[in-house]
Every structure is written in structure tokens, then in C-alpha cells.
Amino acid sequence: MSTQVGVQTYDLFINGEWVPSSSGETFDVINPSNGTVVAKVAKGSKEDVDKAVEAAHAAFENAEWREMSPNDRADILFAIGNNIAKHGQELVLLEALTSGGTLRRVGGNDILMMVDLFQQMAKFVKEYPFSETLPEPMFPGPAHNFVWREPLGVCAAITPWNMPMLIATWKIAPALATGNTIVIKPASNTPVSTLKLAEIISEVVPPGVINVVPGPGGEVGESLVTHPKVEKVGFTGSTEVGRRIMMLASSTVKNVTLELGGKSPNIILEDADLDLAIPGSLFGVFLHAGQLCESGTRLFVPNSIYDDVIDRLVALTKTLKVGHQLDMNTSVGPVISQAQKDTILSYIETGKAEGARLVCGGKEAEVKGGENGFFIEPTIFADVTNDMKIAQEEIFGPVLSVIRYDTVDEAIEMANDTIYGLASGVWTRDVNKAYEIARKIKAGVVWINDWHMLRNDAPFGGYKQSGIGREMGKYSLDAYTQLKHVHTSMVHEPEKRRAFGILFPEG
Ligand code: NDP
């Protein structure tokens, strides 16, 4: 890593070292609040992927890493957590500056979750059943049987731009906890925090265990997904790219974990405490300018309280300050890029054309000093119907669709009427009613009187086209291991082997 007139230049991170890309080309990383270039990053290619995979493969072939005891591995995971905490300030700044995440969120939440994740993994790894003994079998005769959980090998992680560093750790932690090695392809908008994170982690793991190759998804990403020495792909991003990854991974029958898009339903019941449900629902949709896959973008409100809820949502939304992500008073920062801003504004136009009633926001936000940045006013549409495009497609921006309902059954039916199934929520004073609804909703998480409450010990992932597999918690370790059955017969005389008798009836 070197410095060039105030703009940092980053190489690829392979085998514990910074190395230039084979082509010598770089690409720019910008601050989404003002469009200025904040870093230049080496642009990886297929050739660089080959180098990184070879380094990761060699690191995996080292039995000292692969077969390390759970206790020693727990020490390493703990040390990684400590190292992240030590470099926390730098990581937070890089992440906020390039992803547009507010300093309040990245510094007050993400970095703490990352440290906690590695510390919790240290505990999970000690309790994980790496070797299980099966009971004595009835057939085919006395034998000792074990089931071993073994690492997969070289894992690829392909990550998005919205929370690049945190999402990378959801793949790095379980991969390393189970003895794999990893090559990460971060999103092209936000590679630098992941590069720095890899350098920090590599201080406590052998060279080649963690590698990062930034570069275009179509080349670097696809080279990883089709590489014969990559055993697994952990992907977070759009459902569209997830489908392609699944298809490409099939050519070498790779294990895949997919964390994809969402259009999560949030149901306010008639008896909800609106003093809690109104700020909670806005927190659910406008955090990180709506660029979170599990945002509550479809809000279902009973007809009987609909107008009151709309008035209160609008009044509170108008108090949110849109601004630079490093300003501690900012509630809603920029969206990631001009392209994303254009997509969101075009969805807003679609909503108007579909007949939804724009009651708040709906255009670019004016931010002093951010004239070249990508700001959008938090936007609310009322009178949305669940079949509208703005209710069915993921916008990935600060846009809330508020849908009316008459009966709770009708709300549940509409909540499930989507290709997605990532998150969901219910606001009510009746907890039994909430559990009844939670049973009926097809989503990987249900928040009751809350939103965005991911935990490092709870599984996270989607139903339906929101994904395959689960990340976080002890559950994620299963996704990075494979099972081996080891059988040892205790009968040494061939004539006493009942199974052999099938082939040798005369004994
Ligand atoms: P994309 O799916 O476009 O990109 C995600 C990653 O995939 C990036 O690193 C990208 O690289 C890479 N990529 C793009 N094309 C390919 C390809 N053909 N083969 C392999 N890799 C490829 O999503 P975004 O980054 O734009 O993120 C927004 C989307 O991600 C939203 O739909 C959101 O819902 C979803 N998301 C889901 C989350 C979840 O946990 N379920 C969390 C966060 C986001 P490059 O940047 O170079 O194009």
C-alpha cells in the first residue's frame, strides 16, 4: 500500500503480501458524498485470481492450519477480534468514507459487531462437534463409527458495497474457524476496507489463509466461481447475480451460500403502540439510506388507523437530517453511486406513474458541500397496492411503500406475496398474536416490535429467492464444513461378517 498525493493506492492482497495486479491497471474508489476520488485500487484479473487461489490452496494443504485443534483456533479467532478492535478507528473511517455508511452506524455498530463475531466464533469453535461418535449399530455388526466435520478447502467470498466489511466477516469468520482458506472479491465501489481488514487478519494467520482480489465481478468474480480449486462460494448481493453464480458454480459442483435481495414486509397491527411502531418502522427502512437487504420496505397498515399512521410517518421523516456520512448529526447519508441514485429516482417516477400517492420526499436531497454527491430525500408512498412494481421490486434506496389492509389474514397473504423472504416484522401489544403471525410468514427472520436486530449467535439468511443457507452464529459453521463418515469394524473373522455372506453364501 502506498500514498500518492493524498489518494491512497492499494494493491491486491495475496499470500500475506501487497502485490500489483498482473495488468498494472487500477480503478478509482470515490466518496459518495462528493464524488471525489479517495483511493486507487489495483484491478485484478483472471491471472490474479489464479495466483490468489494457488496461495490459498497451498495454505490449505498445510496440515498445521487445516488440522489445528479447536482450542488453538479459538485463540486465533480471539486474536483477530482484538486486532480488529486495535485498528477499529482506521477501519471505520475507510468503511464510512467509501460506502457512505454514517460514522454513527459504522463506528457505533458495525465495528463492535465484527469484534464480537470473532469472539463468539472462538466460543462456538470449542463447542462445535468436529468429531461425533455414533451409537453401536444393529447391522452390519459391532463397529466404531465416527462422523467428522472437515473443512472444504479454498472458499471464495463475493461481497456487496452496502456493508462491505461487516458482510465480509460473516464469511471470513466461519471459513477460518473451520480450517478453510479464503479469497475475497469485494464490490468494486468499496474494496479498500476489506483490503485493510485482510492485512489486519493476516497478522495472526499464516500467509495465503486470507487473500483479496478486487476487480470487475464479470471477470474476477466469475473466475473464482468457475475455478476448479475453489470448493465453495459465499455470495452476498443481488438475486440476479446470485442466480448466475449458482448456475456457474454448477459446472464444478461447488457448494454455495447465497444471501440475496429482499422486499421485507412490516405489519403494524391495530393495537400497536404507535409511539414505538412509527420510529421503529422508519428505522427499519431508512437506516443506511435504505440500502440494507433486510430493510422493511413494505409497510402494511390497517385501514382504521391508516391516515393517522401516514401523518405520523411523514412528520417524523421530515426531522431526519440527510448529510455527509462523517457528520455525526447525519441520520441518512448518501447512496453509493450515481447509477444507484438514478435507479432509485427512476423507481420513484414509476411509483407516481403507477398511481401511488407521494406523501414525502421523492427527489434528490440538497446537501451543502454535497452537490456532486448522491443524496436522496427519504421518500414515502401511500396508497400503494402490493402488485405495484414499487411493492414487488427491490429498490435499495430510501423509499417506503405503505399498503392498506382490512384483516390480518389479508396482510399476511400480501406479506407473503413476493419472490423474496429475507426479513419481516410485526408491531403489536399482543405477543401471542405476534407469534401466530410469525409462524405464517415465510421469511428467515421475524422481528416483533423491532427491526434490524441481527445477532452474532443467530442465523441470518433468506427463504425463497432471498437465498440459500445461513450465515452468522454456530449455524454458519455447517456451511463451511463437509461430513466424513469413518467406520471401523470390530469383527476380525471373515465367517462372522454377515454382510460378506451376501457375496460368499458358502462362508
Ligand atoms: P451485485 O449483485 O451487483 O454485486 C455483488 C457482488 O457481486 C459485487 O462484488 C459484484 O462485483 C459481484 N458480481 C457482479 N457480477 C458478478 C458476476 N457475474 N459473477 C460474480 N460476481 C459478480 O449487488 P450490489 O453489490 O450492487 O448490492 C446490491 C444488491 O445486493 C441488492 O439487491 C441487495 O439486496 C443485495 N444485498 C443482499 C444482502 C443480503 O444479505 N441478502 C446484503 C447486501 C446486499 P462488482 O462490484 O465488481 O460488480
Side-chain angles (χ1 to χ4, degrees), residues 158-162 167 185-188 215-218 221-222 235-238 241 244-245 259-262 293 394 396 422 460:
I158 302 179
T159 52
W161 41 255
N162 60 343
I167 290 174
K185 203 293 284 178
S188 296
E222 295 205 4
F235 171 75
T236 300
S238 60
V241 174
R244 176 152 180 82
I245 284 179
E259 299 287 354
L260 308 175
C293 48
E394 184 174 53
F396 227 54
L422 193 54
F460 177 61

